[in-house]
């Protein structure tokens, strides 16, 4: 495990210890000042004795890991991103863009033993913290690569069953992914019934255009649900031609998935169905103008 520099948290609202990718001879006063004025250039971890949190700055918490249950999904939006299992319950190949603290990749690794997993992370300093968040070592089922997510998808082999995107930097959603070219490449590389899932965070105006691009490329086969607890939205885009959810069946199947994975799939389905019906009503209203 990488030896990290430890510093008592200088933040009023985040108590505990700050863990940093710094040598033992680093100056605590300088690091404390950089953390407080948000000029510190690397990701860092806050450990409060119960959980570990990954930050780019103290206003933007990226990941949370419970020390008692390190392989569970502590943050609500990550749970909702697993909603793809309603439509693709046995994916053979999952690609994740944006490793963060590894919550999604760990959950899939431990709960879905038949799935091949690839995580793409642009920032080598995030990858350097993988041991701190107990991300398993690379092996036959798991590969963590340092690369640009958009470039990786452009060159990737076809046949990705699920593409998860949770990619942020200090300023927000990764800019190389917020364009039509990325969505077109993602569509091309997904399997015939593949699903794209994106975590959307920040002000809704900043990603409204991104939702429009997804709608265009995926022929309106897109569902967006809110995550009020976290202030996020989760977007699901479906490649399957003539995608028509069987809602009654999905409500029943959600109970099976809840029993298997311990996540509130029945609530996820309710939100998806409501969002879909609202979207259809809006489109009908626009056509009727």
């Amino acid at each position: 495990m990488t030896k990290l520099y430890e510093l008592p948290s200088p933040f009023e609202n985040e108590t505990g210890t700050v863990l940093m990718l710094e040598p033992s001879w680093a100056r605590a006063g300088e690091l404390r000042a950089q953390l407080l004025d948000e000029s510190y250039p690397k990701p860092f971890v806050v450990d409060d004795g119960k959980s570990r949190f990954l930050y780019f700055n103290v206003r933007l918490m990226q990941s949370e890991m419970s020390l008692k249950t390190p392989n569970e999904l502590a943050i609500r939006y990550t749970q909702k991103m697993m909603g793809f299992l309603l439509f693709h319950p046995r994916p053979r190949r999952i690609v994740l863009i944006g490793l963060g603290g590894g919550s999604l990749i760990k959950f899939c690794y431990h709960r879905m033993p038949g799935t091949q997993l690839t995580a793409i992370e642009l920032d080598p300093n995030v990858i350097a913290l993988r041991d701190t968040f107990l991300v398993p070592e690379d092996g036959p089922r798991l590969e963590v690569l340092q690369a640009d997510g958009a470039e990786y998808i452009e060159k990737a082999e076809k046949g990705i069953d699920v593409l998860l995107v949770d990619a942020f930097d200090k300023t927000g959603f990764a800019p190389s992914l917020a364009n039509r070219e990325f969505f077109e490449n993602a569509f091309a590389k997904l399997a015939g019934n593949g699903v794209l899932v994106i975590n959307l965070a920040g002000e809704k105006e900043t990603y409204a255009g991104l939702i429009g691009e997804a709608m265009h490329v995926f022929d309106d086969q897109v569902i967006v649900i809110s995550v009020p607890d976290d202030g996020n939205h989760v977007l699901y885009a479906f490649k399957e031609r003539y995608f028509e959810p069987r809602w009654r069946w999905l409500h029943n199947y959600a109970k099976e998935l809840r029993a298997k994975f311990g996540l509130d799939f029945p609530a996820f389905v309710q939100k998806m169905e409501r969002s879909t019906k609202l979207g259809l009503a809006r489109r009908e209203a626009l056509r009727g103008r």
Side-chain angles (χ1 to χ4, degrees), residues 228-254:
D229 309 5
D230 304 330
N232 299 39
H233 286 76
V234 174
L235 178 150
Y236 312 84
F238 304 89
K239 183 171 179 178
E240 183 181 347
R241 196 176 289 236
Y242 311 122
F243 170 74
E244 284 189 29
R246 294 179 293 153
W247 294 115
R248 185 177 294 179
W249 183 88
L250 284 168
H251 283 291
N252 288 324
Y253 184 51

Side-chain angles (χ1 to χ4, degrees), residues 61-64 72-83 103-104 166 197 199 225-234 236 258 262-271:
M61 194 258 284
Q62 302 294 319
S63 293
E64 177 183 351
E72 298 302 309
L73 295 172
I75 302 179
R76 186 71 171 167
Y77 86 80
T78 60
Q79 299 174 16
K80 287 189 174 179
M81 287 184 76
M82 295 300 299
S103 302
L104 284 164
D166 189 14
V197 187
N199 171 35
I225 63 173
S226 65
V227 192
D229 309 5
D230 304 330
N232 299 39
H233 286 76
V234 174
Y236 312 84
R258 179 173 59 188
L263 303 177
D264 195 0
F265 285 94
F268 304 166
V269 173
Q270 284 181 351
K271 282 209 151 199

Side-chain angles (χ1 to χ4, degrees), residues 175-223:
S176 67
L177 308 176
N179 55 69
R180 182 171 298 182
E181 185 181 6
F182 171 73
F183 284 103
E184 288 174 342
N185 285 331
F187 185 90
K189 299 306 168 69
L190 284 170
N193 61 340
V195 186
L196 168 66
V197 187
I198 303 181
N199 171 35
L200 301 171
E203 297 299 319
K204 196 168 184 184
E205 299 75 40
T206 63
Y207 53 77
L210 186 149
I211 295 172
E213 296 292 4
M215 298 280 283
H216 176 84
V217 173
F218 283 81
D219 196 24
D220 288 345
Q221 297 186 157
V222 172
I223 299 173

Side-chain angles (χ1 to χ4, degrees), residues 258-280:
R258 179 173 59 188
K260 182 177 180 182
F261 291 100
L263 303 177
D264 195 0
F265 285 94
F268 304 166
V269 173
Q270 284 181 351
K271 282 209 151 199
M272 289 177 181
E273 183 177 19
R274 196 178 307 131
S275 173
T276 301
K277 289 180 176 177
L278 280 171
L280 285 171

Side-chain angles (χ1 to χ4, degrees), residues 8 19 39 49 58 61 106 129 158 160 241 248 253 262 269:
L19 307 174
S39 65
V58 80
M61 194 258 284
K106 285 191 299 178
L129 292 167
K158 293 182 179 181
I160 298 169
R241 196 176 289 236
R248 185 177 294 179
Y253 184 51
V269 173

